[in-house]
C-alpha cells in the first residue's frame, strides 16, 4: 500500500512527484507505456520555461524532471492505467500489465491529447500523411508540400519547424486572424516557405493510400477548392484526457476535471488533479508544473489529516490546515 500514486508524467506529474518525494511520500508515478514525458516529448525548443535562457529541448526538460523526481525517491513505472477504483478511502489503480497498486491518495495528471478535425479522410489517412506531431513525422516530408491546420501557437511552431524538411508549408486557418502569440506569428509570417490560407477549413482530406490533397471550404462564402498536398499536420489544440475518470470524477462544461477553487481537490476525497487535465485556458509547461506542486501539497495535507489506520478518510474540504481554495 502506497501513500500516493501519481498518474501521468508530464510537467504536472513529475513536479507533483518531486514535491511528494521530497516530503518522504515515496510516490509511484505511472508514466504511460508510450507517452511517458507527455506532450513536451513532441516539442523541439522550449524557450519559455524559466531557468533556461538558451532554451531547452522538450525531451531534455522532461528527462531532467524525471531524474529530479527519482533523485528524491519517486518510483516510475512505464505502463498504462486501465482501471481506477477511486470511491473508497483506498484507491486502486490497475495497469495494462495486470499489476494492481493501492494508495491513500491519487494525483490524476494525464494531460491532454491532440484534437481531431473529425472528418472521414482524417481517420482514413491518419499515419498515411495525416499527422499530429511535426517533431515525430516531419522527417518523412523532405522536399514535400504539406499543410498545417490551425492558428494557435502549436500551428505556428509546427509550421516553422516543418520548413526544415518540406519545400512548402501552407498554414490553413479558419479565420483571418491568428490566435498565436505575436512572437510565434512573426516568426511564421517571416518564413519564406510558409504561405497562409485564410478563412479556410478542411472539408475533406483526399487520397486512397496516402494524402494527395485537401478539399478546402471558404468559411466566408462557402466555396470549395482542392489544394494538392503530400501531408497534413493537424494542430488545432488539445482535449483533456479524462476517459479513465469521466464517470468517476465531476467534470467542468469544458471537459476538464473539476477541482475545488485554486486547489487540486476533485469531487472525491483523496483524489487530486493537476496540469492540462484541469486547465482549459493556460496550458503551459510552467503552469502545469505549478499545478503539480499544488497537488503534492494538497496530498500532503490530506495524508496528514487521515485518522488512525482503518479510520474513514475525512472529507478533503474539512481537513484542518488545508488552505481555503477560494482565498486570494
Ligand atoms: P489553441 O491556442 O487552442 O489554438 C487552436 C487553433 O486551432 C485556433 O487557431 C483555432 O481556431 C483552431 N481550431 C480549433 N478547432 C478547430 C477546428 N475544428 N478546425 C479548424 N481549426 C480549429 O491551441 P494550441 O495552438 O495547441 O495551443 C494551446 C496552448 O499551448 C496555448 O496556451 C498555447 O499558447 C500553448 N503553446 C505554447 C507554445 C509555446 O509557447 N512555445 C507552443 C505550443 C502551444 P480559432 O483561432 O478560430 O479558435
Amino acid at each position: 500500500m502506497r501513500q500516493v500514486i501519481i498518474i501521468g508524467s508530464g510537467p504536472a506529474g513529475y513536479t507533483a512527484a518531486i514535491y511528494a518525494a521530497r516530503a518522504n511520500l515515496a510516490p509511484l508515478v505511472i508514466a504511460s507505456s508510450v507517452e511517458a514525458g507527455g506532450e513536451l516529448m513532441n516539442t523541439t525548443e522550449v524557450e519559455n520555461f524559466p531557468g533556461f535562457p538558451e532554451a531547452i529541448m522538450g525531451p531534455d526538460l522532461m528527462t531532467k524532471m524525471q531524474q529530479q523526481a527519482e533523485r528524491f525517491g519517486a518510483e516510475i513505472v512505464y505502463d498504462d492505467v486501465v482501471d481506477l477504483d477511486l470511491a473508497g478511502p483506498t484507491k486502486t489503480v490497475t495497469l495494462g500489465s495486470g499489476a494492481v497498486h493501492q494508495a491513500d491518495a491519487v494525483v490524476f495528471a494525464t494531460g491532454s491529447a491532440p484534437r481531431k478535425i473529425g472528418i472521414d479522410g482524417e481517420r482514413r489517412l491518419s499515419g498515411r500523411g495525416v499527422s499530429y506531431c511535426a517533431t515525430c513525422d516531419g522527417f518523412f516530408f523532405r522536399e514535400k508540400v504539406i499543410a498545417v491546420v490551425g492558428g494557435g501557437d502549436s500551428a505556428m511552431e509546427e509550421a516553422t519547424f516543418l520548413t526544415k524538411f518540406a519545400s512548402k508549408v501552407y498554414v490553413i486557418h479558419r479565420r483571418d486572424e491568428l490566435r498565436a502569440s505575436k512572437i510565434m506569428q512573426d516568426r511564421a509570417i517571416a518564413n519564406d516557405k510558409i504561405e497562409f490560407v485564410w478563412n479556410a477549413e478542411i472539408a475533406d482530406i483526399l487520397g486512397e493510400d496516402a494524402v494527395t490533397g485537401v478539399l478546402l471550404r471558404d468559411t466566408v462564402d462557402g466555396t470549395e477548392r482542392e489544394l494538392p498536398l503530400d501531408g497534413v499536420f493537424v494542430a488545432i489544440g488539445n482535449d483533456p484526457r479524462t476517459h479513465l475518470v469521466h464517470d468517476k470524477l465531476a467534470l467542468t462544461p469544458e471537459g476538464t476535471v473539476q477541482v475545488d477553487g485554486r486547489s487540486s481537490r476533485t469531487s472525491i476525497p483523496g483524489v487530486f488533479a493537476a496540469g492540462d487535465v484541469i486547465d482549459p485556458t493556460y496550458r503551459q509547461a510552467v503552469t502545469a508544473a505549478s499545478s503539480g506542486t499544488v497537488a503534492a501539497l494538497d496530498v500532503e495535507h490530506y495524508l496528514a489529516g487521515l485518522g488512525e489506520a482503518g479510520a474513514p478518510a475525512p472529507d478533503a474540504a474539512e481537513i484542518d490546515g488545508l488552505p481555503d481554495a477560494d482565498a486570494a
Side-chain angles (χ1 to χ4, degrees), residues 47-132:
E47 294 176 328
N48 51 12
F49 200 91
F52 297 96
E54 310 298 334
I56 180 167
M57 298 301 279
D60 293 343
L61 180 60
M62 296 322 299
T63 302
K64 284 180 186 292
M65 287 192 199
Q66 178 193 332
Q67 289 169 341
Q68 199 171 348
E70 286 178 317
R71 178 181 157 209
F72 296 111
E75 185 185 339
I76 296 163
V77 171
Y78 296 95
D79 201 346
D80 303 303
V81 176
V82 292
D83 194 31
L84 283 172
D85 184 353
L86 302 173
T90 298
K91 318 297 177 192
T92 303
V93 179
T94 306
L95 306 185
S97 63
V100 176
H101 297 277
Q102 291 192 310
D104 292 317
V106 162
V107 174
F108 194 69
T110 50
S112 57
R115 192 172 292 152
K116 308 272 193 310
I117 304 173
I119 51 178
D120 178 55
E122 179 187 28
R123 273 183 292 274
R124 205 164 36 81
L125 294 165
S126 181
R128 299 169 174 207
V130 175
S131 171
Y132 301 86

Side-chain angles (χ1 to χ4, degrees), residues 48 115 149-155 157 173-175 179 184 235-238 281-284:
N48 51 12
R115 192 172 292 152
V149 190
D153 280 339
S154 296
E157 186 175 72
H173 184 38
R174 61 186 178 184
R175 294 187 292 140
R179 181 177 294 274
M184 307 283 269
I236 60 173
N238 287 59
T281 313
Y282 300 105
R283 302 188 51 257
Q284 303 295 305

